[in-house]
C-alpha cells in the first residue's frame, strides 16, 4: 500500500518518459535512474511514516497526521495543476516536448467515452452480441466523426459488442466473485492469507481498472496475467475455506464424541443406514466430479486439435501469400485451397483465391477460373458482409467481369459502411464514370446519362459526411462535361447548361487543368465554338495518354451525330 503513491507517479509519467528516451537515449536513461531512486526513497519515507502513525495510541493524533499528509499531497497537486507551465519547467526538456505533443482531443478520455457510447449503440441494436471481431466492421456504420479505431478501448464494452449483455453480466460476475472472495478472506482468514491476497487483488484491480479505458486485455499475455492473479486470490480463498472447515470439523468431532457414545444404543440400525446413505452420496459426488474432469479434458483436447488445424491453415496461407506476390498462380491456388480447408471461415483466404484465379484466367483465358473466382468471392462476402474494404474489392471484381449492377451495389455498400472515408466515395465515383463511358461506347445513351446524373447528385451525399474534395470534384466535372456533350443541342442560350455548371464547379473547386482532366476540357471547348483558341491550347498541353483518352472520347461520343 505504501508504494501506491510513488508507483502512481511512475505510472503517470511512464509513457512520456519512455518516448523521451527514444528521442534522447542518454538523457532519458539518466532521468529513469533518478526516477527509480526517487521512487525507492518515497516508498521508504511513506512506509516509515505510516508505521510510525500506527504506533500512535491517540486516535486524534493518528488521524491528524494522516490528514496532514493528505493535505500536503492535495496542495501540491493543486499547485502543479494551477501552475502548469511553471511545473513543466522543472521537467527534463525531452519530457516537456513529449507532454506538449499529447493531443487530449484525439487520444484523451473524451474520445474513449465517445467510443464507449458508440459501442453501447451497437449493443442496443445487438443485445446478444455480433461475434468475435464484430467491432471492426460495424464501427464505421455508427461513427459520428472521422476517427478510426480498431478497438473499443474498453474491455467491458468490447465484450458487450462481441457477446452482448449476457457476456457483460458474466464478466462483471467474475469481478463480483473476486470481491466476495477477498471479503471472505478478510472476515475469516488470518494476516498470513489476507495480506498477500489483498496485494494480488490490488494488482488485478489496477489491471482490470485500466482495461475500462483501454484494450490491454485484448492482448493475450496481459489477459493471461490477469487470470493468473484471479487464480492466486482464489488459492488464498480456498486456503481460508479449507482451514475453517477443518477447524469446524475438529470441534464438531470433539463435541459429538460423547453424544455419540450416549446415543449409540438408541440409534442402532438407523445410524448405520445414515452412514450407508452418506457413503452412496460420496460415491455419486466422486463420479460426478470425475465426469466433469473428463469432460474438461475432452474439451481441452478438442480445442487443441481445432487450434492446431487453424495454425496449419495459417501456415498454408502465409506460404500462399509468398507465391501470390511472385504471381506463381499454380502454387498459390492449391496452397490457398489447403488454407481454406483448415480455416474455412477466413474470408481473406477466399478473396485471395479470387485474385489468384483471376490472375490465372488472364494468363490462360480459361472461363472455369472466373467461375471459381466468383464462387470464392461470394463466399468471402457471405462470411463478412459488413466489411467496407471487402465490399470495395468485391465490387471492383464484379465490375471487371461485367456484373455492373452487382459491382456498383457493393461499392455503394462500401462507402455506406464507412461514411467518413473519402477514398470509398472516390472509388464509387470513378466506377460511375467508367460505367457511364462504357454505356456510351455501347451506344446505351440513356443508361449512360442516368449514371452521370447519379454521380452529379451523389455530390450532395458526399458533402454530408466529408469536406469538399478536389479529387471528388474532378469526377463530377467529368460527369458535367459528358452530360453537356450529350445535351449540346440545347446549349445555345441555356445559362444553366451542363457546361456552364462544369465551369462553375471548376472555379469553386479550384481544379487544375492538367493530367486526366485535359481530355474532358478539350471536349468541352471543342463543342463551344467561341472557345477555339482555348481548345487548341488544351490540345497542345495533352501528352500521349491524355490524347489517347481524348481520341477515344471523340470516337465514342460523336457516334451521336
Amino acid at each position: 500500500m505504501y508504494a501506491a503513491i510513488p508507483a502512481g507517479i511512475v505510472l503517470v509519467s511512464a509513457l512520456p518518459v519512455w518516448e523521451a528516451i527514444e528521442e534522447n537515449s542518454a538523457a532519458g536513461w539518466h532521468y529513469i535512474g533518478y526516477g527509480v531512486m526517487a521512487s525507492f526513497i518515497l516508498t521508504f519515507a511513506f512506509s516509515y511514516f505510516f508505521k510510525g502513525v500506527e504506533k500512535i495510541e491517540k486516535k486524534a493524533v493518528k488521524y491528524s497526521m494522516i490528514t496532514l499528509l493528505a493535505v500536503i499531497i492535495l496542495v501540491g497537486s493543486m499547485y502543479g495543476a494551477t501552475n502548469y507551465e511553471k511545473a513543466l519547467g522543472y521537467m527534463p526538456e525531452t519530457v516537456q516536448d513529449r507532454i506538449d505533443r499529447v493531443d487530449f482531443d484525439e487520444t484523451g478520455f473524451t474520445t474513449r467515452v465517445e467510443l464507449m457510447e458508440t459501442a453501447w449503440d451497437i449493443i442496443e441494436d445487438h443485445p446478444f452480441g455480433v461475434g468475435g471481431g464484430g467491432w471492426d466492421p460495424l464501427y464505421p456504420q455508427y461513427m459520428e466523426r472521422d476517427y478510426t479505431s480498431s478497438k473499443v478501448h474498453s474491455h467491458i464494452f468490447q465484450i458487450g459488442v462481441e457477446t452482448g449483455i449476457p457476456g457483460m453480466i458474466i464478466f462483471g460476475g467474475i469481478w463480483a466473485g473476486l470481491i466476495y472472495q477477498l471479503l471472505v478472506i478478510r472476515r475469516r482468514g488470518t494476516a498470513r492469507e489476507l495480506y498477500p491476497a489483498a496485494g494480488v487483488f490490488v494488482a488485478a484491480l489496477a489491471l482490470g481498472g485500466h482495461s475500462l479505458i483501454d484494450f490491454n486485455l485484448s492482448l493475450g499475455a496481459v489477459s493471461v496475467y490477469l487470470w493468473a492473479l484471479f487464480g492466486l486470490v482464489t488459492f488464498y480463498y480456498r486456503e481460508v475455506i479449507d482451514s475453517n472447515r477443518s477447524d469446524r470439523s475438529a470441534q464438531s468431532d470433539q463435541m459429538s464424541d460423547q453424544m455419540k457414545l450416549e446415543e449409540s444404543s438408541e440409534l442402532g440400525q438407523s445410524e448405520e443406514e445414515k452412514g450407508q446413505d452418506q457413503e452412496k452420496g460420496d460415491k455419486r459426488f466422486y463420479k460426478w466430479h470425475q465426469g466433469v474432469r473428463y469432460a474438461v479434458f475432452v474439451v481441452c483436447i478438442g480445442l487443441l486439435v481445432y487450434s492446431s488445424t487453424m495454425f496449419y491453415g495459417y501456415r498454408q496461407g502465409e506460404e500462399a501469400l509468398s507465391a501470390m506476390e511472385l504471381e506463381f498462380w499454380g502454387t498459390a491456388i492449391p496452397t490457398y485451397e489447403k488454407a481454406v480447408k483448415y480455416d474455412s471461415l477466413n474470408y481473406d483466404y477466399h478473396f485471395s483465391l479470387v485474385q489468384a484465379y483471376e490472375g490465372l484466367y488472364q494468363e490462360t483465358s480459361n472461363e472455369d477460373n472466373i467461375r471459381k473466382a466468383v464462387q470464392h468471392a461470394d463466399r468471402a462476402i457471405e462470411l463478412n458482409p459488413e466489411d467496407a474494404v471487402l465490399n470495395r474489392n468485391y465490387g471492383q471484381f464484379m465490375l471487371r467481369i461485367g456484373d455492373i449492377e452487382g459491382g456498383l451495389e457493393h461499392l455503394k455498400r462500401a462507402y455506406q459502411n464507412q461514411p467518413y472515408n473519402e477514398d470509398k466515395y472516390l472509388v464509387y465515383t470513378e466506377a460511375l464514370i467508367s460505367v457511364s463511358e462504357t454505356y456510351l461506347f455501347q451506344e446505351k445513351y440513356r443508361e449512360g446519362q442516368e449514371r452521370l446524373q447519379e454521380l452529379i447528385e451523389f455530390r450532395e451525399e458526399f458533402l454530408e459526411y466529408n469536406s469538399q474534395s478536389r479529387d471528388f470534384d474532378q469526377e463530377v466535372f467529368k460527369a458535367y462535361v459528358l452530360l453537356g456533350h450529350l445535351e449540346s443541342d440545347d446549349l445555345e442560350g441555356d445559362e444553366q447548361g451542363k457546361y456552364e455548371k462544369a465551369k462553375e464547379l471548376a472555379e469553386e473547386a479550384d481544379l487544375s487543368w492538367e493530367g486526366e482532366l485535359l481530355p474532358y476540357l478539350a471536349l468541352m471547348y471543342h463543342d463551344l465554338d467561341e472557345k477555339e483558341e482555348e481548345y487548341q491550347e488544351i490540345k497542345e498541353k495533352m501528352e500521349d495518354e491524355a490524347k489517347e483518352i481524348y481520341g477515344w472520347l471523340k470516337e465514342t461520343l460523336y457516334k451521336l451525330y
Side-chain angles (χ1 to χ4, degrees):
M1 176 181 175
Y2 308 132
I5 297 173
I9 297 172
V10 171
L11 286 173
V12 169
S13 59
L15 181 59
V17 167
W18 182 255
E19 297 212 10
I21 288 175
E22 294 180 339
E23 297 176 9
N24 188 336
S25 179
W29 282 112
H30 280 125
Y31 289 118
I32 283 289
Y34 300 149
V36 170
M37 290 176 60
S39 180
F40 277 118
I41 293 171
L42 285 172
T43 301
F44 175 77
F46 281 113
S47 176
Y48 184 80
F49 174 81
F50 281 109
K51 284 182 178 179
V53 169
E54 286 178 357
K55 295 177 181 179
I56 298 175
E57 295 182 358
K58 293 184 178 181
K59 290 186 177 181
V61 177
K62 180 184 294 187
Y63 292 134
S64 297
M65 295 294 292
I66 295 174
T67 303
L68 177 63
L69 177 62
V71 169
I72 292 173
I73 294 174
L74 181 62
V75 170
S77 301
M78 291 179 63
Y79 176 81
T82 54
N83 297 270
Y84 172 74
E85 296 294 337
K86 190 173 181 179
L88 203 62
Y90 293 113
M91 300 181 185
E93 185 177 349
T94 51
V95 177
Q96 291 182 38
D97 293 340
R98 177 66 189 99
I99 292 175
D100 285 337
R101 292 200 306 274
V102 174
D103 185 351
F104 290 100
D105 292 330
E106 290 298 321
T107 60
F109 185 71
T110 303
T111 300
R112 302 192 180 206
V113 170
E114 289 181 17
L115 294 174
M116 295 176 202
E117 291 174 348
T118 303
W120 183 249
D121 291 338
I122 297 175
I123 294 168
E124 286 184 323
D125 291 343
H126 305 275
F128 293 99
V130 297
W135 166 264
D136 208 21
L138 283 180
Y139 167 62
Q141 300 176 38
Y142 289 82
M143 67 192 330
E144 296 182 357
R145 64 186 180 97
D146 188 12
Y147 183 82
T148 302
S149 176
S150 60
K151 303 288 184 184
V152 183
H153 284 272
S154 174
H155 192 69
I156 183 67
F157 282 97
Q158 186 85 33
I159 287 176
V161 170
E162 296 180 353
T163 62
I165 293 175
M168 297 177 77
I169 293 173
I170 292 171
F171 186 70
I174 294 173
W175 284 99
L178 192 73
I179 294 171
Y180 169 78
Q181 288 179 337
L182 185 67
L183 291 176
V184 170
I185 294 170
R186 181 177 179 275
R187 186 168 62 251
R188 300 183 183 178
T190 63
R192 191 179 71 86
E193 295 97 10
L194 177 60
Y195 289 164
V200 172
F201 176 81
V202 169
L205 190 63
L207 198 57
H210 182 252
S211 75
L212 290 175
I213 56 170
D214 210 345
F215 59 86
N216 53 328
L217 293 185
S218 296
L219 306 174
V222 179
S223 186
V224 167
Y225 177 59
L226 179 64
W227 283 99
L229 295 176
F230 285 167
L232 283 172
V233 175
T234 303
F235 166 76
Y236 290 114
Y237 168 76
R238 294 304 310 171
E239 271 205 334
V240 170
I241 294 299
D242 292 343
S243 176
N244 277 256
R245 185 178 297 154
S246 298
D247 293 342
R248 286 197 302 271
S249 178
Q251 292 175 2
S252 177
D253 289 345
Q254 291 175 1
M255 293 175 62
S256 62
D257 280 345
Q258 184 63 32
M259 295 177 62
K260 286 180 179 179
L261 290 172
E262 294 174 355
E263 298 175 359
S264 58
S265 59
E266 299 176 4
L267 292 175
Q269 187 64 29
S270 63
E271 185 65 29
E272 184 178 347
E273 291 175 355
K274 288 182 179 179
Q276 291 175 352
D277 291 341
Q278 180 67 35
E279 185 178 353
K280 290 179 180 178
D282 290 343
K283 288 181 178 180
R284 284 196 298 268
F285 176 79
Y286 177 77
K287 289 180 180 179
W288 178 85
H289 187 260
Q290 288 293 101
V292 170
R293 290 176 61 184
Y294 288 132
V296 171
F297 178 74
V298 170
V299 169
C300 290
I301 293 296
L303 289 174
L304 179 63
V305 172
Y306 178 71
S307 60
S308 298
T309 60
M310 294 280 286
F311 180 71
Y312 181 74
Y314 167 77
R315 291 293 300 272
Q316 292 296 310
E318 290 296 299
E319 291 180 16
L321 179 61
S322 300
M324 282 278 287
E325 291 173 349
L326 298 173
E327 297 186 359
F328 292 165
W329 315 121
T331 303
I333 289 174
T335 311
Y336 265 129
E337 292 286 6
K338 286 183 182 178
V340 167
K341 179 180 178 181
Y342 288 98
D343 188 3
S344 60
L345 301 180
N346 190 318
Y347 70 92
D348 276 334
Y349 293 162
H350 285 285
F351 208 82
S352 294
L353 274 168
V354 173
Q355 297 169 320
Y357 276 118
E358 188 179 11
L360 187 60
Y361 167 76
Q362 291 172 355
E363 289 184 359
T364 63
S365 299
N366 186 342
E367 293 290 340
D368 191 51
N369 291 320
I370 288 296
R371 182 183 59 80
K372 292 178 180 178
V374 171
Q375 289 176 351
H376 283 287
D378 290 341
R379 179 55 177 158
I381 207 70
E382 179 186 343
L383 289 171
N384 199 358
E386 304 296 338
D387 187 85
V389 175
L390 180 59
N391 273 282
R392 181 200 64 194
N393 294 338
Y394 182 91
Q396 290 175 326
F397 169 69
M398 287 299 169
L399 288 177
R400 288 195 298 271
I401 64 174
D403 185 354
I404 291 177
E405 296 303 322
L408 290 178
E409 176 61 31
H410 283 276
L411 292 181
K412 182 182 291 186
R413 192 179 298 176
Y415 78 73
Q416 289 173 341
N417 287 349
Q418 287 191 352
Y420 293 97
N421 189 309
E422 180 181 320
D423 291 341
K424 301 299 185 298
Y425 289 87
L426 291 176
V427 171
Y428 186 65
T429 57
E430 290 167 359
L432 284 176
I433 285 290
S434 178
V435 167
S436 301
E437 292 176 347
T438 300
Y439 279 141
L440 296 178
F441 181 75
Q442 296 172 348
E443 300 185 22
K444 297 178 180 179
Y445 301 117
R446 182 178 298 278
E447 291 88 340
Q449 281 181 305
E450 289 174 354
R451 292 302 181 184
L452 292 171
Q453 189 62 43
E454 178 186 348
L455 172 52
I456 291 171
E457 295 171 356
F458 182 52
R459 186 170 186 263
E460 293 183 8
E461 184 176 353
F462 171 79
L463 292 176
E464 286 182 18
Y465 297 96
N466 301 272
S467 56
Q468 187 170 355
S469 164
R470 182 177 296 177
D471 291 335
F472 186 92
D473 285 339
Q474 282 184 355
E475 304 304 317
V476 180
F477 175 83
K478 294 176 185 178
Y480 272 127
V481 170
L482 292 174
L483 274 178
H485 181 82
L486 294 173
E487 301 173 5
S488 57
D489 287 342
D490 301 326
L491 278 176
E492 188 173 351
D494 182 6
E495 295 297 324
Q496 298 300 318
K498 296 299 186 296
Y499 282 155
E500 192 68 29
K501 291 183 179 180
K503 289 187 286 185
E504 291 174 3
L505 177 64
E507 292 177 5
E508 178 188 344
D510 192 24
L511 300 182
S512 56
W513 304 126
E514 58 186 13
E516 61 183 75
L517 280 185
L518 290 177
Y520 297 88
L521 190 64
L523 184 68
M524 181 175 70
Y525 284 161
H526 180 271
D527 288 340
L528 298 172
D529 295 335
E530 70 276 11
K531 298 289 185 179
E532 181 63 27
E533 184 177 340
E534 289 88 341
Y535 169 66
Q536 295 300 331
E537 185 179 335
I538 291 296
K539 284 189 66 178
E540 291 176 4
K541 283 185 178 181
M542 286 193 290
E543 298 179 357
D544 292 342
E545 184 177 354
K547 288 179 180 178
E548 185 177 340
I549 295 173
Y550 177 60
W552 183 86
L553 286 172
K554 284 184 65 177
E555 179 184 350
T556 299
L557 296 174
Y558 281 98
K559 290 179 182 179
L560 284 165
Y561 308 105

